[in-house]
Amino acid sequence: MSRYSLANLEKHLTEENPVLLNAAQSFEHIDHIARSLGLIGEDYSSAGQISWWPVISMLGTFSAGKSTFINHFLGSRVQRTGNQAVDDRFTVLCYSNYPEPQTLPGIALDADPRFPFFEISRELEQAVEGEGQRINAYLQLKTCSSEYLRGKIIIDSPGFDADPQRDAILRITTHIIDISDLALVFFDARHPEPGAMRDTLRYLVADTIKRPDSDKFLYILNQMDTTAREDNPEEVVAAWQRALAEHGLTAGRFYTIYSPEVSVPIEDEAVSKRYRQKRDRDLREIHGRMQQVEIERAYRILRTLERLSEELQYTVLPELTRTVTRYRKRVVNADLITFILAAGALGYAFFLFIPPEPNTAIALGVGLLAGLLIVWTRVHVFFNGLFARLGARRLRKRQKALNLKWDMTRAFQSNAQPWPLFRRIRLAGWNKDMSAEIEQVHETCKESIQRLNDLYTNPSGRPGESAIVQPLPDLDQAVSK
Ligand SMILES: Nc1nc2c(ncn2[C@@H]2O[C@H](COP(=O)(O)OP(=O)(O)OP(=O)(O)O)[C@@H](O)[C@H]2O)c(=O)[nH]1
Ligand SMILES: [Mg+2]
């Protein structure tokens, strides 16, 4: 995010959510430190890496009804639906007052720092070589004028086991899960057995329940209308819950719904009523969570800030200091050893062949000394380069293993210059005020979370205003053609 867009963001937050304004400024502090240490480039900003918009994502098995659900929620037939695997890429839906939906290629998202996919092609390239250029095959941006989309982003995804480009798809899915404030995980009641939803269970259930933000996942068994004619429809839900439990999910938010528009009619009036009541209750709750996503977004941003500052303080700085200290020790040791060896060898040679003439002896001595300095300088540069490469390699590996966005190798380079020989022990770019600056960011996080708690748990904290911005969509709304 450029300084200009950061200023714009701050202006926007002043009106929209002043608690987050402090957070935006704290991101700047973190960036200032990281930039000074060389962990990020001049034009990089960590505020640009997160979504300041509330994000809701639809995930789950293919043909489970994700796109149908979105169309119903928005009251607009913006997404294509169908019984084959319809969606082959991720669609980012955002509001526009232009009445006709517009579709833009993935590159539009990749190049725009206001969206949470800024420079995602780099990550794709890391996951699978060559895929970074194929960004349009993975992502698209669609606009829609539904009022229910105003102020938020909804992401529709392709069915979970529908795509052969596994690694790239998984990388995007992980990214989406990270940036989402609410993730709806869809399953298909026509196939509630574990085999049909194996990948979804593995990646979207087992991997997510350990997360600190696991409460943002809602698990939805969709197309429940298709079970009405079964002899034992309860068994469908039971089988689904057993499969979830086998993957560790015993408590959580489970919903059983079906689409009000495309469902098959249920003939038995009593059964139909029972199904409808349960569906409407669940749908209302899901829609309610979707409307409250603004609150979840505020907490997510603060959690990200907290994570970044802790990562910097407890992981990046110690890793960098350890590597720089080790590198310096190695260079100094190599310098000393090579100097002693070279000086010893030359001294020995000098005394062996000491010329009888004093003038010649002095000239030879000075010549040898100059030679020693030149050779030793080259040896120093050689060892410095060698240990710098080893240090950089170690940090590259650590960075990957710890999944860090900070460029520790880059920061290391500014500490690994051959000259001057004797440097201060401190990291290049670090000054003692920075510790206080990081502490201040921790404080801001804590205070802001408390202020949010006050604001949202006590609505009278903001008189006349509700966190829920719009009324819920009408459950019986007809989707416009
Ligand atoms: N009976 C019934 N059919 C549904 C329901 N929801 C969706 N469908 C149908 O199921 C099919 C798949 O729906 P989609 O919305 O395209 O599913 P999806 O999850 O977006 O599918 P992919 O994008 O291909 O992964 C379509 O033919 C829908 O009409 C429902 O609640 N009940
Ligand atoms: Mg779809």
Side-chain angles (χ1 to χ4, degrees):
M1 194 180 283
S2 69
R3 274 151 213 241
Y4 171 73
S5 22
L6 196 62
N8 256 350
L9 173 72
E10 289 182 1
K11 193 166 145 242
H12 168 71
L13 289 173
T14 312
E15 292 151 23
E16 195 233 354
N17 194 333
V19 181
L20 289 182
L21 178 64
N22 288 342
Q25 286 158 351
S26 293
F27 275 103
E28 275 195 88
H29 287 298
I30 293 287
D31 282 350
H32 160 71
I33 299 173
R35 203 169 292 124
S36 169
L37 288 168
L39 288 162
I40 56 175
E42 270 310 307
D43 49 359
Y44 180 99
S45 132
S46 42
Q49 304 306 302
I50 57 169
S51 174
W52 290 86
W53 295 98
V55 176
I56 305 173
S57 57
M58 309 287 150
L59 304 161
T61 53
F62 72 93
S63 288
K66 302 179 289 295
S67 304
T68 307
F69 178 90
I70 293 179
N71 287 350
H72 176 251
F73 177 77
L74 297 179
S76 163
R77 212 173 280 283
V78 60
Q79 283 295 75
R80 275 193 317 135
T81 60
N83 236 333
Q84 299 303 313
V86 170
D87 286 304
D88 58 354
R89 67 192 86 177
F90 295 87
T91 306
V92 176
L93 292 155
C94 79
Y95 176 81
S96 150
N97 54 12
Y98 192 72
E100 283 301 309
Q102 302 281 309
T103 306
L104 298 168
I107 187 86
L109 291 160
D110 189 57
D112 192 337
R114 288 171 307 170
F115 288 105
F117 290 93
F118 184 47
E119 296 190 337
I120 187 86
S121 57
R122 263 204 235 164
E123 271 195 51
L124 279 185
E125 189 63 36
Q126 269 179 12
V128 191
E129 222 181 293
E131 290 309 288
Q133 298 165 3
R134 297 187 59 243
I135 182 81
N136 294 345
Y138 292 106
L139 277 175
Q140 64 180 358
L141 172 65
K142 254 191 207 179
T143 64
C144 168
S145 59
S146 163
E147 282 302 310
Y148 295 108
L149 194 53
R150 207 190 259 274
K152 56 173 97 61
I153 288 175
I154 293 184
I155 303 175
D156 194 7
S157 59
F160 209 69
D161 44 3
D163 204 286
Q165 301 290 350
R166 260 237 141 267
D167 288 347
I169 288 278
L170 280 180
R171 183 62 73 103
I172 302 184
T173 307
T174 310
H175 178 78
I176 288 177
I177 290 176
D178 285 343
I179 59 162
S180 288
D181 299 293
L182 188 66
L184 275 50
V185 185
F186 279 80
F187 296 87
D188 188 344
R190 294 171 301 176
H191 306 284
E193 69 278 8
M197 48 196 214
R198 201 190 57 235
D199 285 352
T200 308
L201 285 171
R202 180 137 55 106
Y203 292 104
L204 299 180
V205 176
D207 280 1
T208 50
I209 47 185
K210 295 175 235 116
R211 296 174 61 103
D213 54 357
S214 61
D215 58 341
K216 74 183 184 190
F217 294 88
L218 308 185
Y219 303 92
I220 297 171
L221 187 60
N222 195 24
Q223 313 214 17
M224 278 300 288
D225 55 304
T226 58
T227 68
R229 262 174 274 165
E230 303 239 345
D231 295 339
N232 189 3
E234 283 76 22
E235 180 46 32
V236 174
V237 181
W240 176 60
Q241 290 202 326
R242 268 201 307 276
L244 295 181
E246 272 166 28
H247 285 78
L249 190 69
T250 47
R253 287 165 205 280
F254 308 121
Y255 299 94
T256 49
I257 59 168
Y258 57 94
S259 162
E261 299 125 23
V262 301
S263 47
V264 288
I266 302 172
E267 274 141 32
D268 185 320
E269 194 38 50
V271 176
S272 171
K273 192 169 166 216
R274 188 158 51 83
Y275 266 64
R276 218 172 34 244
Q277 279 174 344
K278 168 78 174 116
R279 174 199 73 189
D280 288 353
R281 218 173 31 240
D282 282 10
L283 265 182
R284 259 183 233 292
E285 214 170 295
I286 298 169
H287 288 169
R289 281 292 295 267
M290 291 172 78
Q291 296 290 18
Q292 281 198 45
V293 81
E294 186 205 333
I295 302 175
E296 327 231 349
R297 179 274 310 246
Y299 284 101
R300 165 180 54 90
I301 288 177
L302 291 173
R303 265 200 311 268
T304 308
L305 180 62
E306 207 170 25
R307 182 177 56 74
L308 279 181
S309 65
E310 284 179 357
E311 212 170 71
L312 188 64
Q313 187 171 18
Y314 301 119
T315 310
V316 174
L317 284 173
E319 285 284 347
L320 200 56
T321 310
R322 209 173 300 137
T323 311
V324 169
T325 312
R326 185 189 294 178
Y327 146 81
R328 280 184 187 157
K329 262 194 198 149
R330 284 172 164 177
V331 175
V332 168
N333 287 344
D335 281 352
L336 278 177
I337 293 170
T338 51
F339 189 81
I340 291 169
L341 284 179
L346 283 177
Y348 185 66
F350 182 73
F351 283 110
L352 268 189
F353 306 107
I354 191 161
E357 281 287 301
N359 279 353
T360 328
I362 291 172
L364 182 67
V366 171
L368 282 177
L369 213 58
L372 168 70
L373 277 179
I374 292 171
V375 170
W376 179 77
T377 301
R378 303 193 81 129
V379 171
H380 165 75
V381 172
F382 168 78
F383 277 112
N384 186 83
L386 177 72
F387 296 135
R389 278 197 298 281
L390 287 177
R393 199 171 68 184
R394 176 180 181 275
L395 283 177
R396 210 170 297 121
K397 275 194 194 150
R398 296 294 296 152
Q399 194 167 317
K400 205 160 182 195
L402 296 164
N403 198 15
L404 297 174
K405 294 267 192 298
W406 308 107
D407 194 347
M408 294 199 290
T409 328
R410 189 176 185 280
F412 177 72
Q413 302 301 353
S414 28
N415 288 281
Q417 302 303 320
W419 312 109
L421 200 52
F422 299 104
R423 281 156 258 161
R424 284 177 307 169
I425 300 301
R426 198 189 282 162
L427 287 175
W430 176 259
N431 70 51
K432 59 181 186 318
D433 297 339
M434 289 179 174
S435 294
E437 223 173 318
I438 298 183
E439 273 315 311
Q440 185 56 45
V441 172
H442 290 323
E443 272 310 302
T444 306
C445 282
K446 240 187 276 164
E447 274 168 24
S448 305
I449 288 177
Q450 272 167 21
R451 280 176 63 191
L452 284 184
N453 290 347
D454 290 346
L455 202 64
Y456 295 130
T457 54
N458 167 25
S460 61
R462 197 159 66 168
E465 274 185 46
S466 156
I468 297 174
V469 277
Q470 295 127 2
L472 296 176
D474 180 358
L475 289 182
D476 295 322
Q477 74 190 356
V479 170
S480 57
K481 299 278 175 219

